[in-house]
Amino acid sequence: MSVALVVDDSSVNRMLLARHLASIGIDSKEAVDGRSAIDALKLFADEVAVVLLDVMMPEMDGYETLAAIKSDEALRHLPVIMISSLDELDSVARCLEMGAADYLPKPFNPVILAARVRASLADKRLHDVEVAHAEAQREMLETIDRQKTELARFLSPQVAALVSSPEGEQLLAGHRREATSVFLDLRGFTAFSDSAEPEEVLGVLREYHAAMGELIVEHGGTLEHFAGDGMMVFFNDPVPQADHVERAVRMAIAMREKFGALTTRWSKLGYELGLGIGIAAGYATLGRIGFEGRYDYGMVGTAVILASRLSSAAEANQILLNPRAHAAVEDLVLAERVGELQLKGFSRPIPTVNVLAPRAADAAEGMSADPPVLTGAGTTDG
Amino acid sequence: MSDETPILDEAIIAELRESVGGDDGFVAELAAAYLAEGPDHVRAMEAALARGDVAGAVRPAHTLKSSSAALGAMRVSVISKAIEHAAREGRTEGLETAVAEARTAWEQTVAAMNERKLAG
């Protein structure tokens, strides 16, 4: 039930107003002057939906009371209906300018009173609905933000962003495009994990994942998954990257360096581990892979299998490229031919190169690798 | 002027009664409240004039005007309205007479309401 605050110094007027309000289903609270009206509003802020305010009162008159209500953040939305004699229309105009919603002429006509109070209550309800709606929307946005943040902990940032984007569903449904697949895994890991304590194994993996993960993010790669010592990263999806092969190769070079720093320390502890990387560019299908309850965003295609086989074939510190990937970065890195590899699942041998280092000009532009020690002849497969 | 105005306007009382669904009990309560607070307003007007505070007469005159009108006590209402306006504009001439008239009209109203058992 709605509650009205009736503010009038005349008990006759208060009683009459309360009575008329009751007949249209509105409860009343009463105040004898402006000051007690403000006190009552602070006390019953949640209940009062409309204020009926007399202009001429002791203590705080109607103007001061109206001004106090309209300048209070918590009260200003309350509709205020001025109670006024017909010979006071000037003061009514002033109150309307000050933010009063309406006025009610004395002597009271129950029909006019009902109409004006109902109109003000309807406005108030509309306002409340808008406020509630805005609040609900804000909460929803906060929830979505929180979910995005949580999602980003589990998924690669690109996939998390994709899931929350308007095009998300379409991209998730599956699409075909050129992409670069990168596989990394460790040489000597099986022997290491057989001989080392589980805590040591997990410690090494944690360091390795943290170091590589940082570089994946830095180069804008999408981490599809990691399983033990193996990691699969792809580029050019879901965020298109014109330089996807270059990014993949630069990331691989940075990983090899960073891994070098790790192995220096690990070898002192007696861990002999090496990093092998395979990179293949090609057309692939990307999108949601899996089953209800457990989906991944993944890449499927020959390039993926090829990158996986190349990383298995790579010796420690090698970064092996398929011809398509090599063609895209030929001008940027020095590479050596490693021959035509016969890889499982591929009927024809794959001409493969190993990335040695960025070319000099490129290195000067800020790539972190040392300038290449090898020069010219025999370093590329042409 | 006020002598022509009825002490109690039966038509207004009838209208009031009708507006509250013929609830005589409520009309009686309202009349009782009116009779209880009316003397304060009359006294407040007298006191304001006695201390030379003409503006101080505005509010009690205003309140008496409207509550009297609500209960059909039209003579008090009309006199109070004249006092309110004169006091607001600072017109002191005839104000004392008007307040004395209001006192007389008030006493007549009380008598008329009691006779009519308006307050039960």
Side-chain angles (χ1 to χ4, degrees):
Chain A
M1 186 186 240
S2 300
V3 173
L5 178 66
V6 174
V7 192
D8 198 310
D9 62 327
S10 154
S11 60
V12 170
N13 284 344
R14 290 199 305 274
M15 285 170 75
L16 255 179
L17 285 170
R19 170 73 186 213
H20 290 319
L21 289 168
S23 73
I24 54 169
I26 297 171
D27 264 353
S28 302
K29 295 196 181 291
E30 298 180 13
V32 298
D33 56 45
R35 203 172 307 287
S36 44
I38 297 293
D39 290 345
L41 284 177
K42 297 210 160 134
L43 215 56
F44 304 110
D46 297 339
E47 292 176 56
V48 174
V50 60
V51 180
L52 274 70
L53 181 62
D54 189 23
V55 175
M56 198 161 290
M57 293 179 299
E59 294 297 322
M60 235 171 134
D61 68 17
Y63 300 118
E64 292 175 85
T65 312
L66 179 61
I69 291 173
K70 291 301 163 189
S71 64
D72 187 320
E73 192 58 46
L75 302 177
R76 72 162 49 125
H77 63 280
L78 271 178
V80 178
I81 300 176
M82 303 308 296
I83 304 165
S84 147
S85 313
L86 286 172
D87 56 349
E88 296 176 301
L89 283 179
D90 283 353
S91 52
V92 165
R94 188 175 148 199
C95 292
L96 292 177
E97 277 176 355
M98 288 171 67
D102 208 337
Y103 76 98
L104 192 62
K106 280 189 282 195
F108 308 123
N109 174 315
V111 177
I112 295 178
L113 182 146
R116 303 214 164 153
V117 169
R118 282 191 180 123
S120 284
L121 286 176
D123 280 351
K124 166 78 162 46
R125 265 193 292 275
L126 192 64
H127 173 268
D128 289 350
V129 166
E130 280 168 8
V131 168
H133 184 72
E135 173 68 8
Q137 199 157 33
R138 195 184 54 75
E139 274 175 22
M140 193 173 80
L141 289 176
E142 271 179 11
T143 306
I144 291 173
D145 267 354
R146 204 168 43 243
Q147 286 173 340
K148 270 192 200 170
T149 312
E150 282 300 312
L151 216 51
R153 285 173 203 253
F154 293 102
L155 305 176
S156 75
Q158 294 89 334
V159 175
L162 167 71
V163 170
S164 340
S165 77
E167 318 79 58
E169 188 46 44
Q170 208 186 331
L171 281 174
L172 285 174
H175 51 282
R176 200 160 165 79
R177 67 163 58 143
E178 197 188 355
T180 302
S181 174
V182 182
F183 268 81
L184 16 153
D185 60 1
L186 300 182
R187 298 291 90 85
F189 184 73
T190 310
F192 164 67
S193 57
D194 278 349
S195 59
E197 296 297 334
E199 292 81 359
E200 288 178 294
V201 176
L202 287 179
V204 161
L205 279 180
R206 245 196 304 277
E207 272 188 86
Y208 162 67
H209 287 153
M212 300 302 120
E214 204 173 287
L215 292 170
I216 294 168
V217 173
E218 193 182 312
H219 290 82
T222 300
L223 174 65
E224 191 199 64
H225 69 265
F226 50 91
D229 63 319
M231 296 175 96
M232 184 216 169
V233 182
F234 55 83
F235 287 83
N236 202 30
D237 196 86
V239 183
Q241 295 157 326
D243 56 348
H244 53 98
V245 181
E246 185 185 337
R247 281 169 181 265
V249 173
R250 286 176 190 273
M251 177 186 77
I253 293 171
M255 283 174 162
R256 183 167 59 188
E257 274 178 39
K258 193 126 181 190
F259 193 83
L262 288 175
T263 46
T264 310
R265 199 156 50 74
W266 288 342
S267 60
K268 285 180 193 153
L269 299 168
Y271 313 155
E272 292 307 328
L273 295 165
L275 177 65
I277 301 179
I279 299 178
Y283 281 91
T285 302
L286 297 113
R288 189 164 35 199
I289 297 170
F291 50 88
E292 199 55 51
R294 182 67 169 92
Y295 280 110
D296 271 330
Y297 187 77
M299 173 174 174
V300 182
T302 317
V304 181
I305 300 166
L306 185 50
S308 160
R309 301 280 184 265
L310 289 173
S311 89
S312 303
E315 288 165 18
N317 292 327
Q318 275 193 327
I319 300 171
L320 300 186
L321 306 185
N322 76 334
R324 194 183 181 99
H326 181 224
V329 294
E330 215 169 354
D331 297 338
L332 303 171
V333 296
L334 297 171
E336 62 179 354
R337 193 201 299 266
V338 294
E340 306 214 334
L341 301 185
Q342 196 67 54
L343 300 169
K344 187 184 162 198
F346 291 85
S347 51
R348 280 189 290 180
I350 309 290
T352 304
V353 300
N354 171 37
V355 176
L356 295 168
R359 288 189 186 274
D362 205 48
E365 274 170 27
M367 286 199 61
S368 47
D370 292 327
V373 285
L374 293 168
T375 50
T379 56
T380 66
D381 70 346
Chain B
M1 59 157 188
S2 53
D3 288 351
E4 295 149 26
T5 313
I7 301 287
L8 288 183
D9 186 328
E10 285 300 329
I12 292 178
I13 296 172
E15 226 173 89
L16 168 66
R17 193 174 166 279
E18 198 194 321
S19 79
V20 296
D23 185 345
D24 286 324
F26 177 74
V27 174
E29 273 178 55
L30 204 62
Y34 173 70
L35 291 173
E37 75 176 8
D40 292 343
H41 300 313
V42 177
R43 262 199 301 276
M45 292 192 294
E46 291 168 343
L49 288 205
R51 63 174 187 268
D53 173 17
V54 175
V58 175
R59 199 179 49 74
H62 170 86
T63 307
L64 194 55
K65 172 194 72 178
S66 76
S67 56
S68 299
L71 276 148
M74 295 318 289
R75 194 176 294 177
V76 173
S77 181
V78 167
I79 297 170
S80 304
K81 179 175 175 175
I83 294 169
E84 181 193 351
H85 285 223
R88 182 174 286 144
E89 290 155 23
R91 287 187 278 111
T92 51
E93 199 185 330
L95 203 53
E96 228 162 298
T97 316
V99 171
E101 274 178 15
R103 160 68 66 185
T104 307
W106 170 254
E107 278 158 8
Q108 289 168 328
T109 302
V110 174
M113 284 190 172
N114 285 339
E115 192 188 343
R116 208 188 162 288
K117 297 199 185 323
L118 197 61

